[in-house]
Amino acid sequence: MHTISIWKRLLQPLSSIGIVLLFGGVALNAQKLGQRTVVPLPKIPLPSVVTAGQDHIVKRLNTKQQAFPIGSHEDEVTALAVAPGTQGTVVVSGDKAGVVTVWNAAFGRLIRTLQAHTKAVTALTLSPDGATIATVGGEGKLCLWSRNTGKKLQEVTLSNGEVSTLFFAQDGRTLFACLGSSLISWRVISLLNGARNLYIEKEQPL
């Protein structure tokens, strides 16, 4: 009994860092045993919320749901995407007139404007590295664009049907589109000159 009580007194000062002891051994190496140390949680950025619609204005929402205008289109905004890994700094939007714009959301600055399609932009997305924009227009064209230069990298003609959803796989090697009642996928091949090409992979019913 005497031995157990001694161990209780020895372990009592360590109870406040017991979790760090078990799960954060590396952090504990910088601490002295017996100190009551508060280990701060890692700072994880909250996901950015961007919205737009019939008022033609692209807006950023904060955690209090207050809206801050980023910029505006001359026509109704029909598609919107945020560049991955930028905490909402780069926003791409498309409108009913086929215009695609690239914005710096943090400063509300227009970076680039593209007359991407002859009809409304029905869907758009960005590659996981943020370097390539994929857009689809109501005229049935799928286009790849360089985000940095605004140059068109490739154009693909789609079959009848409106694309409602467009997205890249997490590794950036496949691009998917929901076309009517089918899911189409393309292999994304990166070329030596930095360009990217699409090669049809498969089409399957949803």
Side-chain angles (χ1 to χ4, degrees), residues 93-181:
S93 53
D95 67 20
K96 206 170 182 178
V99 175
V100 171
T101 54
V102 183
W103 310 91
N104 183 313
F107 299 100
R109 182 170 60 89
L110 176 64
I111 299 174
R112 181 165 291 103
T113 300
L114 307 170
Q115 183 60 58
H117 298 278
T118 58
K119 292 187 178 181
V121 179
T122 61
L124 60 79
T125 188
L126 291 106
S127 58
D129 61 6
T132 304
I133 304 170
T135 64
V136 174
E139 78 284 358
K141 301 288 186 182
L142 165 64
C143 300
L144 292 186
W145 309 85
S146 168
R147 198 195 84 189
N148 294 326
T149 66
K151 180 181 178 181
K152 184 188 289 187
L153 304 176
Q154 191 178 5
E155 181 179 296
V156 176
T157 301
L158 302 174
S159 58
N160 293 334
E162 182 175 304
V163 172
S164 57
T165 306
L166 190 66
F167 60 97
F168 281 92
Q170 288 187 346
D171 59 7
R173 296 179 181 178
T174 310
L175 177 65
F176 297 92
C178 295
L179 181 61
S181 59

Side-chain angles (χ1 to χ4, degrees), residues 3-176:
T3 304
I4 294 174
S5 62
I6 292 175
W7 275 107
K8 283 184 178 179
R9 287 197 296 272
L10 287 173
L11 292 175
Q12 188 174 3
L14 299 179
S15 60
S16 63
I17 58 171
I19 296 177
V20 180
L21 239 172
L22 292 173
F23 300 104
V26 176
L28 186 62
N29 290 337
Q31 303 174 16
K32 292 181 180 179
L33 294 179
Q35 288 182 337
R36 294 173 180 262
T37 304
V38 177
V39 180
L41 294 173
K43 294 182 179 180
I44 302 174
L46 293 173
S48 298
V49 179
V50 181
T51 183
Q54 295 181 354
D55 61 359
H56 306 185
I57 301 174
V58 180
K59 305 166 190 168
R60 176 175 53 85
L61 302 181
N62 64 11
T63 54
K64 298 180 180 179
Q65 296 186 355
Q66 296 171 320
F68 298 90
I70 297 172
S72 62
H73 283 253
E74 293 184 4
D75 214 321
E76 179 183 341
V77 178
T78 54
L80 198 62
V82 178
T86 64
Q87 286 78 56
T89 301
V90 177
V91 174
V92 181
S93 53
D95 67 20
K96 206 170 182 178
V99 175
V100 171
T101 54
V102 183
W103 310 91
N104 183 313
F107 299 100
R109 182 170 60 89
L110 176 64
I111 299 174
R112 181 165 291 103
T113 300
L114 307 170
Q115 183 60 58
H117 298 278
T118 58
K119 292 187 178 181
V121 179
T122 61
L124 60 79
T125 188
L126 291 106
S127 58
D129 61 6
T132 304
I133 304 170
T135 64
V136 174
E139 78 284 358
K141 301 288 186 182
L142 165 64
C143 300
L144 292 186
W145 309 85
S146 168
R147 198 195 84 189
N148 294 326
T149 66
K151 180 181 178 181
K152 184 188 289 187
L153 304 176
Q154 191 178 5
E155 181 179 296
V156 176
T157 301
L158 302 174
S159 58
N160 293 334
E162 182 175 304
V163 172
S164 57
T165 306
L166 190 66
F167 60 97
F168 281 92
Q170 288 187 346
D171 59 7
R173 296 179 181 178
T174 310
L175 177 65
F176 297 92

